[in-house]
Amino acid sequence: MENFPIAPIRLAIVVVVCSAFPALATAQTSVAEAGRKPVLVELFTSEGCSSCPPADILLQKLEAQQPVAGAEIIALEEHVDYWNHDGWIDPYSSPEWTQRQQTYVSRIKKDVYTPELVIDGQSQFVGNNPRQAALEVEKAAGGVKADVAIGAARSDSKLSQQFKVSVGKLESNSAGDVAEVWLAVSEDGLRSSVSRGENAGHVLQHVATLRSLHKIGVADGNGTPVSFTGDPVVKFNSRWDVEHLHVIVFVQKKKSREILGAASTTIKTTIQD
């Protein structure tokens, strides 16, 4: 773990990832298997942080292998910007993702650090810990989830796509809190050849890198069968690779930060030529 700007912990964390994660792979099953519940796994990371690459690899394995029975892991890799002064400017970093992390850590009154994993907006811990990641994902999958659906509606161009979004009944929403509906776009397959900073000389590869995040509405917490419907239009930056994009919708309490439900889809043939 690195509490910015304290010097990094290197070798010990790498060993934990290499030795502990293969044990999780034995539980791997198909995401399509009945009974899997979506769990949003957010990794706050930076290309300027030497302890972050093992956490990036852990997130890649969690998404690709889906090693926790009963859980569909939806990954988001969020690059913070507070390492950018240290010799390398992370091209995927944003002050928005830094602010999102600060909102999380303010709840537990701790300093921000990288790498950090946040599971369904509740559990926060060092992002290089595969055993804790598996336990927290399993715990989150055991909770009550709102049904979230997202599907492509129509496309007017290569750079935009309309979606139909619906959210079912909010079983666990508490009075006095607001259930916000968010839409995120992430991109797989990004990579950097880092020439400066703590990771100089390394090629870093990423998965589910957060590209954009916008609130698209508020879900009705009064127990209605359908708490939200919407038809958001997503605009894609021309620099993004459409074939590697995911569109993710999740419902999150504004105060407690708990994720009440989530869904993800890919962008493939829905974009017209």
Side-chain angles (χ1 to χ4, degrees):
M1 178 179 68
E2 298 188 7
N3 286 308
F4 172 77
I6 297 174
I9 301 172
R10 293 182 172 85
L11 180 59
I13 291 178
V14 175
V15 172
V16 169
V17 172
C18 293
S19 62
F21 191 84
L24 300 178
T26 59
Q28 180 181 353
T29 55
S30 171
V31 171
E33 183 179 333
R36 283 192 176 248
K37 296 181 181 178
V39 176
L40 188 68
V41 176
E42 299 178 73
L43 173 65
F44 293 96
T45 185
S46 172
E47 290 189 342
C49 154
S50 64
S51 293
C52 287
D56 298 345
I57 293 172
L58 173 58
L59 188 70
Q60 293 167 24
K61 290 182 177 180
L62 287 171
E63 184 186 58
Q65 298 180 6
Q66 297 291 329
V68 181
E72 176 191 354
I73 294 170
I74 298 177
L76 278 181
E77 187 179 277
E78 302 173 41
H79 291 235
V80 298
D81 67 346
Y82 49 79
W83 281 95
N84 286 353
H85 75 284
D86 218 24
W88 175 256
I89 296 178
D90 187 332
Y92 311 117
S93 64
S94 170
E96 292 183 64
W97 317 152
T98 299
Q99 181 58 51
R100 183 168 175 82
Q101 184 187 25
Q102 289 174 338
T103 301
Y104 278 132
V105 300
S106 65
R107 292 184 59 248
I108 58 176
K109 295 179 173 59
K110 291 186 177 181
D111 295 330
V112 296
Y113 63 86
T114 53
E116 181 187 31
L117 278 172
V118 179
I119 310 298
D120 260 358
Q122 295 298 285
S123 177
Q124 305 178 44
F125 54 94
V126 180
N128 290 313
N129 192 329
R131 293 191 187 279
Q132 187 170 4
L135 290 173
E136 296 297 343
V137 168
E138 182 179 24
K139 178 181 176 182
V144 177
K145 299 286 186 179
D147 291 328
V148 179
I150 176 172
R154 63 182 177 82
S155 173
D156 293 328
S157 71
K158 290 184 177 180
L159 296 180
S160 69
Q161 172 73 57
Q162 186 178 44
F163 292 88
K164 287 188 175 295
V165 175
S166 67
V167 179
K169 185 177 180 181
L170 301 182
E171 300 286 354
S172 61
N173 194 36
S174 58
D177 209 340
V178 177
E180 299 178 325
V181 184
W182 291 84
L183 188 148
V185 178
S186 68
E187 184 173 354
D188 291 335
L190 298 176
R191 55 184 289 166
S192 293
S193 297
V194 181
S195 60
R196 302 181 65 185
E198 293 187 356
N199 291 314
H202 295 276
V203 176
L204 304 182
Q205 300 188 15
H206 306 292
V207 69
T209 304
L210 185 57
R211 287 301 210 171
S212 69
L213 179 64
H214 301 285
K215 186 173 75 172
I216 59 173
V218 174
D220 184 350
N222 293 322
T224 57
V226 179
S227 62
F228 174 84
T229 59
D231 301 285
V233 175
V234 179
K235 295 182 179 180
F236 305 117
N237 190 297
S238 60
R239 296 190 299 272
W240 301 348
D241 185 347
V242 172
E243 294 295 320
H244 291 92
L245 294 182
H246 296 258
V247 175
I248 300 161
V249 172
F250 59 90
V251 184
Q252 185 168 36
K253 292 182 180 179
K254 184 176 182 178
K255 293 180 180 178
S256 73
R257 312 306 295 163
E258 179 187 359
I259 302 294
L260 303 179
S264 176
T265 187
T266 57
I267 308 300
K268 294 181 180 178
T269 58
T270 56
I271 303 296
Q272 299 176 357
D273 293 331

